[in-house]
Amino acid sequence: MGYTALGAWVLAATGGGRLLVIWMARGGPSTKVTRFPVLVVAGHPLAALAGLVLWIAYLATGSAAWAWAAFGTLLVVILQGFLMFTRWLVGRGGRHARGTDQAFPATAVITHGTAAVATFVLVFLTAMEATRA
């Protein structure tokens, strides 16, 4: 299950990378009107990368401590992602629908979020399993 979680994590990272490229191509942090705080936009992928490194450390060692550290980092990533998702969702077509964040294709956002939720569940289940071993 650990390698399935790794695959889901890589899939989520790929989708997130696509969203980041779209955001940057449309002006990113230099745009006057945006609904995404720059620290959250920067922190989300950095925390996800840190968690991925911790997850790879778990896969290399089998230590439950690495798995739980990766899960804890993933909690931060999920909370940041949820913050950006809700801001994107509220702005879609509403009176605040402007800025670089509205350029995101809905399918890309949904795919990224679905892969992230799958990663979260798989990492949690694997960490639980590693603790029992």
Side-chain angles (χ1 to χ4, degrees), residues 3-16:
Y3 287 101
T4 304
L6 177 64
W9 206 318
V10 169
L11 180 64
T14 302

Side-chain angles (χ1 to χ4, degrees), residues 8 12 14 21 26 31 45-49 53 58 84 88 91-92 95 99 102 106 111-112 120 124 132-133:
T14 302
V21 166
R26 303 280 176 138
T31 304
L46 291 174
L49 182 59
V53 168
Y58 160 70
M84 289 189 292
W88 172 81
R92 282 303 274 178
R95 65 186 183 102
Q102 295 311 309
T111 302
H112 176 64
F120 181 78
F124 176 72
R132 280 191 241 133

Side-chain angles (χ1 to χ4, degrees), residues 20-92:
L20 184 60
V21 166
I22 291 169
W23 187 72
M24 293 300 290
R26 303 280 176 138
S30 65
T31 304
K32 285 185 179 182
V33 180
T34 184
R35 298 182 63 78
F36 297 150
V38 174
L39 290 176
V40 174
V41 173
H44 181 70
L46 291 174
L49 182 59
L52 181 58
V53 168
L54 293 170
W55 189 251
I56 291 170
Y58 160 70
L59 292 175
T61 64
S63 170
W66 289 116
W68 285 112
F71 178 74
T73 305
L74 197 54
L75 281 173
V76 172
V77 174
I78 291 286
L79 289 174
Q80 291 172 327
F82 188 73
L83 171 68
M84 289 189 292
F85 175 70
T86 55
R87 286 180 172 220
W88 172 81
L89 195 60
V90 168
R92 282 303 274 178

